[in-house]
Amino acid sequence: MITTLHVADDVRSLAPGFGYLVVEARGLRNGPSDEASSALLEDAARRLAGRLDGRAPQDDPHIAAWRAAYTAFGCKPSRTRNSAEALARRALADGGLPRINRLVDVYNAISVAHLVPVGGEDLDRIQGGMRLVRAKGDEPFATAAGGAEVVEHPETGEVVWCDDAGVTCRRWNWRQGVRTRLTEESVNALFLLERMAPMTFDALRAAGTELAEALEKLCPGARVEIGEVRGGES
């Protein structure tokens, strides 16, 4: 049942320590953020604060490795932060983490608690296989600006996730497109957890297992499957 993903050789060469894990779920029941999803976010923020113990997120070795990977493909990591660092900064700020919907809240909580980038895609909106590649620069990326949907294009050489219809996430895991994002109507989803060495495979599996358990608790009866860790150095 696990969807097949492909990582291009030039991306592997760019970041030998990259690896990922897929959690696939079907028969989900999404909806507006509620007490249960909010509690997960609040607990994640507490766990993050304990892990960092006063340090800034960018001082964590895992986030530092992501910053190095972003620099390697020509992106300034202080201006364009990977999703885990961006969420961590929000978790530690006075306003706290945003509430989006139940499913997004769950995977954001896992991202913050484990300080690992996590994304969620609507399986019914993905067209063909998903690939992590260096962009040519002409691929379409549907995003929102000023309350309206617009189409942008990645920079040449930028690392992007894409499917047969275009880019699904720019700058590795910086910004997700609107076409495949999880909405309150989503029932089938692919969750992607991404790591860089020095995060271990065991730590990545632990994050994936916690995500699967949270989904099963939030959506009783859902069919959730955890894939194998792929790629990267152990």
Side-chain angles (χ1 to χ4, degrees):
M1 188 172 74
I2 291 292
T3 303
T4 300
L5 281 70
H6 173 73
V7 179
D9 289 342
D10 54 359
V11 176
R12 295 184 187 278
S13 298
L14 182 75
F18 172 69
Y20 66 89
L21 174 69
V22 172
V23 176
E24 195 171 293
R26 296 180 182 272
L28 298 167
R29 292 193 301 276
N30 201 6
S33 301
D34 56 17
E35 290 185 6
S37 67
S38 291
L40 289 173
L41 290 170
E42 291 168 1
D43 178 65
R46 289 191 291 268
R47 292 165 64 183
L48 174 68
R51 169 178 177 151
L52 293 176
D53 193 25
R55 294 177 299 151
Q58 64 265 26
D59 294 330
D60 183 271
H62 190 220
I63 297 302
W66 273 106
R67 283 184 160 233
Y70 270 48
T71 300
F73 69 86
C75 184
K76 294 182 179 180
S78 294
R79 181 178 301 172
T80 304
R81 296 182 174 89
N82 70 83
S83 63
E85 181 180 351
L87 274 178
R89 289 169 63 89
R90 295 192 69 171
L92 298 173
D94 290 341
L97 289 164
R99 272 58 172 168
I100 309 298
N101 59 55
R102 284 160 41 107
L103 293 180
V104 175
D105 291 352
V106 169
Y107 78 73
N108 279 349
I110 297 300
S111 176
V112 169
H114 292 266
L115 207 54
V116 59
V118 183
E121 307 283 354
D122 190 319
L123 270 173
D124 297 321
R125 295 180 178 274
I126 295 173
Q127 299 186 32
M130 291 189 64
R131 304 175 297 280
L132 185 66
V133 301
R134 304 291 297 271
K136 296 178 181 178
D138 59 355
E139 300 91 339
F141 175 71
T143 187
E149 184 173 321
V150 297
V151 175
E152 300 177 349
H153 302 280
E155 299 172 2
T156 302
E158 181 181 324
V159 176
V160 297
W161 279 104
C162 62
D163 65 3
D164 290 352
V167 173
T168 58
C169 193
R170 285 195 60 187
R171 295 177 187 167
W172 216 314
N173 48 45
W174 167 65
R175 178 172 293 170
Q176 184 184 31
V178 298
R179 175 170 57 87
T180 59
R181 66 185 175 184
L182 295 176
T183 68
E184 293 183 16
E185 289 72 41
S186 298
V187 294
N188 302 311
L190 178 151
F191 300 92
L192 178 63
L193 295 81
E194 302 177 278
R195 58 79 89 170
M196 289 285 177
M199 185 179 189
T200 66
F201 288 165
D202 285 345
L204 187 62
R205 290 190 191 96
T209 298
E210 185 174 341
L211 173 59
E213 291 173 348
L215 291 170
E216 290 169 344
K217 184 176 181 179
L218 198 70
C219 306
R223 303 183 304 281
V224 183
E225 185 175 349
I226 305 173
E228 294 295 325
V229 174
R230 302 291 183 183
E233 301 166 346
S234 61

